[in-house]
Amino acid sequence: MYTFRRMLKASTLAACSAAVLVSTAQEQVKLGQAITEVSLAEFNLIAEPSGTGFPAGSGTAQQGRTIFENRCALCHGSNGEGNSDATVLVGGNMQSAETPLRTVGSYWPYASTVFDFIRRAMPANAPKSLTDEETYQVAAYVLYLNGLVAEDEIMNAQTLPQVRMPNAEGFIDRSHIQ
Amino acid sequence: MTKSSKGQNIELDPERVAANGLLSRRHLLSAALGGAGLAMARPVIGQEPGINLEIPAWSKAPGPGTSPYGSRSAHAQLERQSGFGNPLYPGGGASRSPLQHLQGTITPNSLHFERHHAGIPAIDPAGHKLVIHGLVRQPLVFDYEDLLKYQMVSKTYFLECSGNSGALLYGGNPDGTAQSLHGLVSCAEWTGIPLSVLLEEAGLLPDARWIAAVGADAASMGRSIPLGKAMDDSLLALFQNGEPVRPEQGYPMRLFNPGWEGNTSVKWLTQIKVTRNPLQFRDETSKYTDTLPDRTSLQFTFPMDVKSLITSPSGQMRVTQRDIYRVTGIAWSGAGSIRRVEVSADGGQTWGDALIESQQLDKALVRFSIPWRWNGAPAVLQSRATDSAGNVQPTRDAVIAAKGTINRYHNPCIQSWGVNTAGEVTNVYV
């Protein structure tokens, strides 16, 4: 009984301070530590269609050929023909009678994604091991294999996101359906 | 009397709710209460002299004591099913939940399906950071230990890969099981911090419309999420069924977007960039887009459709009993809760209402069942779910008519399990 009464007392006390408790129920601790955008330069790998996030540097397909041979061809073939549906990088035609082969050249709507994806995820056996310069070079080579840029066209933060992708108009945005 | 989908009236005895042996969902209950159920024609033990029930060996010797981490019975060794490792896709691939052997609605953590694009990172939470930056008043970085101090919410949600059931669109796969065909769906209680709390702490700027979420795996997998979702019910999930999120589910933290295609719930979450536009990551352009027959492709198909599946009997099982069989399965919808599940034993001609055995939570699996008396003739079992928004699960023909067969994502179609005269169950198309 004693304990029970003590509990009652405690809960009355709690009820008295309930106003505080209830209001803090909506209030959160704030433990995020301020950080500057500048300090995220190495951490943030997002390269956007607008060109935002592309690093300094540049490269051509000519320069990228050797890197592709050495670092990519094992899984993607010397000419980007791939060894599976997942690794084919060239060819395809969205209007073919059969199920169309969807690749960088035939399907991808944005060139920026080529740089963004290679920089964050490729080569699959050693992601993030290329320098920015090498990434521009090999991205240029992938675009070149698809006939989207010339062999000596300089790819950099300005030019690469501007490369016209054949299937750019092929997508219907459904993000409003949530 | 009930109406078939073709409009003709079919006479049913009072217990039957649809043709080919489907009985009232109340039947199992009433049978248990000794009511009007069919008498089970099994011999009485002990009727023959000399047959006595004995005390088993395990009741005569003490077993092992407590253990620091529990394990399952040697007689209940359920497993995920995954393809062989591909050296040219290091760490990549998927594993599927053994749906046909699970009951209830919660997927045990060890059996939750997986999909990795570059394997499971070995993250030390002490070194893991969550950064929120971009269109915010103050970019912030959060430590794991600090995040544990926030108020959390716990919600039970399904998670489904949008590639789940994609194989059905191609046809084939008579040997398919519930696991191999549909095992990229699981359900767990997820505990974490509403993402809105952390976004508000950083302070959203007026132009903010999307967030880009990036994981700390070797692929630094990224997805763009509309801010509306992020501020509505997205979670930064830290716990899964009460324990820290498993490494293969994103330890120490993952994004969780309830009801949305699994890939958007970025695992090992380390970066959120608030932006004006979607970022056009590879996994929202090259992949996870649905190509239609006219060769345009749908981009950002987020919610998962209303769907259900009979898990027992299902592919590669065998129906041996001619008395009451508990047909059971799971249903779910990304648009809300499940209101109704119907079952057909004649390939969709007539339908009977199944009993929902579980809670009907929003965006979570429900378990349904219906008693079935198999008469030994060929049968085709199907289930069809309706959600709280009124969406009805479509047939395979309807899905193909609407989206064609080039597309491989977001297939919610009704599964047909054929039962032959030997009781063998296979994936069939009707």
Side-chain angles (χ1 to χ4, degrees):
Chain A
M1 199 58 208
Y2 172 69
T3 345
F4 180 59
R5 215 178 274 136
R6 241 187 29 188
M7 271 168 58
L8 261 184
K9 207 171 151 197
S11 68
T12 325
L13 270 178
C16 293
S17 54
V20 180
L21 282 178
V22 168
S23 71
T24 51
Q26 301 305 318
E27 240 170 68
Q28 286 278 9
V29 290
K30 288 188 166 57
L31 300 173
Q33 212 186 320
I35 189 168
T36 62
E37 284 284 349
V38 178
S39 68
L40 296 173
E42 308 244 305
F43 173 87
N44 172 23
L45 297 177
I46 300 174
E48 306 187 17
S50 63
T52 303
F54 276 81
S58 67
T60 65
Q62 241 153 18
Q63 296 165 322
R65 184 189 303 273
T66 321
I67 300 166
F68 194 88
E69 284 291 343
N70 294 339
R71 308 294 304 278
C72 319
L74 169 70
C75 304
H76 291 291
S78 293
N79 298 305
E81 69 276 12
N83 54 37
S84 68
D85 274 2
T87 50
V88 55
L89 297 182
V90 298
N93 170 7
M94 288 309 289
Q95 300 309 323
S96 78
E98 290 94 48
T99 295
L101 181 63
R102 282 163 285 184
T103 69
V104 170
S106 69
Y107 193 58
W108 289 30
Y110 295 91
S112 61
T113 310
V114 179
F115 185 92
D116 177 273
F117 183 69
I118 295 172
R119 181 164 65 157
R120 66 180 59 250
M122 290 293 135
N125 49 7
K128 306 174 185 75
S129 59
L130 302 179
T131 63
D132 287 343
E133 203 78 5
E134 289 171 323
T135 308
Y136 274 118
Q137 294 168 353
V138 83
Y141 191 68
V142 171
L143 292 168
Y144 164 75
L145 286 175
N146 280 286
L148 301 173
V149 300
E151 215 175 349
D152 55 358
E153 214 169 319
I154 293 169
M155 290 291 105
N156 58 29
Q158 284 72 47
T159 56
L160 194 148
Q162 298 299 322
V163 172
R164 223 198 76 75
M165 302 299 273
N167 194 39
E169 306 304 318
F171 289 82
I172 301 164
D173 183 344
R174 301 228 306 171
S175 60
H176 55 282
I177 302 170
Q178 299 178 25
Chain B
M1 184 106 70
T2 187
K3 264 205 161 66
S4 82
S5 60
K6 286 186 176 150
Q8 77 250 67
N9 291 327
I10 296 169
E11 281 302 332
L12 299 174
D13 68 45
E15 287 201 316
R16 292 177 55 191
V17 293
N20 226 1
L22 286 174
L23 304 179
S24 162
R25 58 189 153 154
R26 283 176 290 277
H27 180 86
L28 283 178
L29 298 172
S30 59
L33 293 170
L38 298 174
M40 307 268 170
R42 303 185 74 183
V44 176
I45 294 172
Q47 218 164 33
E48 302 279 313
I51 302 176
N52 296 314
L53 209 57
E54 288 173 3
I55 301 280
W58 49 78
S59 301
K60 295 178 180 170
T66 62
S67 61
Y69 200 85
S71 56
R72 61 220 169 133
S73 161
H75 304 282
Q77 297 287 315
L78 305 185
E79 291 194 338
R80 292 191 285 227
Q81 186 179 51
S82 58
F84 292 107
N86 175 356
L88 299 184
Y89 190 3
S95 74
R96 292 152 191 269
S97 294
L99 300 179
Q100 65 273 36
H101 302 305
L102 298 174
Q103 289 293 341
T105 60
I106 297 293
T107 312
N109 289 344
S110 297
L111 298 173
H112 195 290
F113 86 85
E114 305 165 88
R115 171 77 174 100
H116 313 309
H117 290 265
I120 304 163
I123 297 180
D124 174 357
H128 182 82
K129 305 284 180 203
L130 174 64
V131 169
I132 300 183
H133 71 121
L135 296 176
V136 292
R137 268 199 310 279
Q138 175 60 63
L140 295 174
V141 55
F142 296 87
D143 285 335
Y144 180 65
E145 286 299 324
D146 282 342
L147 288 166
L148 294 177
K149 296 171 187 151
Y150 280 70
Q151 248 172 47
M152 301 196 194
V153 297
S154 295
K155 297 274 195 174
T156 300
Y157 291 127
F158 78 82
L159 187 72
E160 185 182 18
C161 176
S162 60
N164 199 24
S165 321
L168 288 193
L169 294 174
Y170 301 116
N173 264 318
D175 296 338
T177 62
Q179 179 169 20
S180 71
L181 294 169
H182 306 286
L184 296 175
V185 63
S186 297
C187 186
E189 181 196 69
W190 297 95
T191 298
I193 307 164
L195 199 61
S196 59
V197 168
L198 302 177
L199 290 170
E200 270 163 7
E201 187 175 329
L204 296 168
L205 293 179
D207 266 357
R209 295 287 180 282
W210 289 75
I211 65 165
V214 176
D217 58 332
S220 296
M221 226 277 308
R223 283 298 300 256
S224 306
I225 314 292
L227 194 61
K229 179 70 171 179
M231 295 299 288
D232 177 16
D233 61 357
S234 296
L235 282 182
L236 176 72
L238 296 148
F239 295 86
Q240 172 189 0
N241 291 331
E243 67 174 347
V245 166
R246 286 285 175 97
E248 65 265 39
Q249 293 304 325
Y251 182 80
M253 60 190 72
R254 80 176 305 167
L255 180 60
F256 198 98
N257 294 312
W260 280 21
E261 70 176 2
N263 183 256
T264 68
S265 287
V266 175
K267 297 185 284 189
W268 314 292
L269 187 69
T270 188
Q271 178 185 13
I272 291 178
K273 182 173 186 189
V274 182
T275 63
R276 167 86 222 193
N277 294 307
L279 276 293
Q280 312 294 350
F281 289 113
R282 186 202 74 134
D283 288 290
E284 56 201 22
T285 52
S286 169
K287 309 295 173 201
Y288 302 102
T289 44
D290 314 359
T291 302
L292 302 177
D294 73 359
R295 308 307 163 90
T296 58
S297 302
L298 304 178
Q299 200 185 13
F300 306 118
T301 304
F302 290 129
M304 297 307 293
D305 297 302
V306 62
K307 192 162 170 183
S308 72
L309 167 74
I310 292 172
T311 53
S312 179
S314 60
Q316 287 191 27
M317 286 184 173
R318 188 156 176 205
V319 181
T320 51
Q321 68 207 65
R322 293 281 186 96
D323 49 32
I324 307 298
Y325 189 105
R326 171 177 167 266
V327 172
T328 184
I330 49 176
W332 64 98
S333 169
S337 59
I338 290 296
R339 278 293 148 79
R340 180 181 194 194
V341 181
E342 299 157 284
V343 172
S344 171
D346 57 5
Q349 309 276 311
T350 62
W351 297 87
D353 273 307
L355 173 75
I356 309 271
E357 295 184 344
S358 64
Q359 295 183 82
Q360 285 157 275
L361 301 174
D362 230 29
K363 301 168 186 168
L365 293 192
V366 303
R367 165 75 45 187
F368 67 84
S369 75
I370 189 166
W372 179 48
R373 193 183 337 151
W374 181 50
N375 64 7
V380 174
L381 291 167
Q382 300 182 330
S383 64
R384 176 171 75 186
T386 304
D387 69 17
S388 52
N391 301 305
V392 181
Q393 185 179 3
T395 62
R396 177 169 175 268
D397 285 348
V399 173
I400 290 174
K403 289 176 86 174
T405 54
I406 299 170
N407 165 51
R408 50 198 283 189
Y409 300 109
H410 294 278
N411 173 24
C413 82
I414 289 173
Q415 165 70 47
S416 303
W417 298 120
V419 185
N420 68 14
T421 52
E424 293 156 344
V425 185
T426 52
N427 171 37
V428 296
Y429 301 105
V430 297

